[in-house]
Amino acid sequence: GGPAPAPAAAGTAAAMKVTLRYEESDDKELHMTLRLTLPKKYQSGPSRDVVKLFVDHYNKKHSESRPLDASTLHLKVVGGNHLQLDARMEDFVASGDECYLLGGEILAPGDPQPPAKRTSAAPESSPSPPPPLKQAAEAAKGGKVRCKRFGCNKMYDPEGEPQECVHHKSPPIFHETAKWWSCCPDRKAYDWEEFMRIPGCQKGFCSANPEGQEGKRFLGGSDLRGDSAPVRIDADAPKDPRHKLDDLRRGMIAIGVDGALFEQVWAKLAQEHGGDIDKVCDIFSARFSALLNSQDL
């Protein structure tokens, strides 16, 4: 290779390394991952310029297939916002981030303000304890249970008045890093928070034993962010396996492991073991213990 790049001069912007992924096609041969170090003009410029940069590279490589149209695509930061085409990159993207190029509407984030800038050295943090867990604990003390309808996840009193809920008709699908409800195939997500924000398509009443879902063990939002079966949460309960996986994912990302790869592996393990998240935790524990005890280290 050539000579090492010179150190950035005082006052110049730090290098922004990003990973761009396009996986909208059902044909894996038409997927592309591009790892770039963005020049200053792209860091301070609108996201549409980065989209065009990727699309030009993609169309050159896939010249024999249907070309992508940059005007129909936008960036979605993994774990962050969908970016408007005029959004300035450095306001929403940090070095080390992954972004997907998505088509369709630009979904509004929960908070319209730009997030605080992150650095590659700062690991993801999580509130302790998370508000949903505190709310669930308070609800459980009142005899409430969690609705088991796909995507509802609300706590309700099975002995009280019927509680309306908005839910999905059919279970979720996990393909590669994309997540969507099979009844709403046009709304895809690439991280759990966004997946859980996809609005339901059905209205009904909360139920712990909804008709038509008996025996189905699909890996869905309820398995990741809130148990869909009636549960009791208290201080003496063992740590929820979903939170164990969240902790492990943050640790893996902190040492440089691809977060999307980790999600893909554990989702596959969960599907192979009937959605048993405890089993997935046991498998990871056994494999890491074997590696750490290996004489090859």
Side-chain angles (χ1 to χ4, degrees), residues 92-109:
F92 291 88
V93 181
S95 185
D97 276 351
E98 293 184 25
C99 299
Y100 280 86
L101 278 87
L102 307 180
E105 63 178 319
I106 301 179
L107 301 179

Side-chain angles (χ1 to χ4, degrees), residues 176-193:
E176 298 289 334
T177 54
K179 308 161 183 65
W180 69 95
W181 296 94
S182 53
C183 50
C184 302
D186 295 331
R187 300 291 299 271
K188 291 184 179 180
Y190 290 83
D191 58 70
W192 303 125
E193 289 78 8

Side-chain angles (χ1 to χ4, degrees), residues 2-83:
T12 62
M16 179 186 287
K17 297 182 179 181
V18 296
T19 300
L20 305 178
R21 300 181 188 274
Y22 175 78
E23 298 180 359
E24 291 290 273
S25 174
D26 291 332
D27 184 354
K28 289 187 178 182
E29 294 298 320
L30 298 180
H31 293 180
M32 176 180 281
T33 297
L34 196 59
R35 294 178 173 84
L36 301 171
T37 298
L38 295 179
K40 171 59 180 175
K41 71 173 184 177
Y42 286 100
Q43 296 181 40
S44 59
S47 70
R48 66 162 54 87
D49 290 351
V50 178
V51 171
K52 185 177 185 304
L53 179 68
F54 180 93
V55 168
D56 288 347
H57 188 87
Y58 181 96
N59 288 341
K60 185 179 297 185
K61 180 175 181 180
H62 297 281
S63 58
E64 297 181 359
S65 63
R66 184 177 179 180
L68 296 181
D69 181 354
S71 67
T72 66
L73 299 171
H74 68 276
L75 295 179
K76 164 67 176 74
V77 183
V78 174
N81 295 325
H82 290 260
L83 302 191

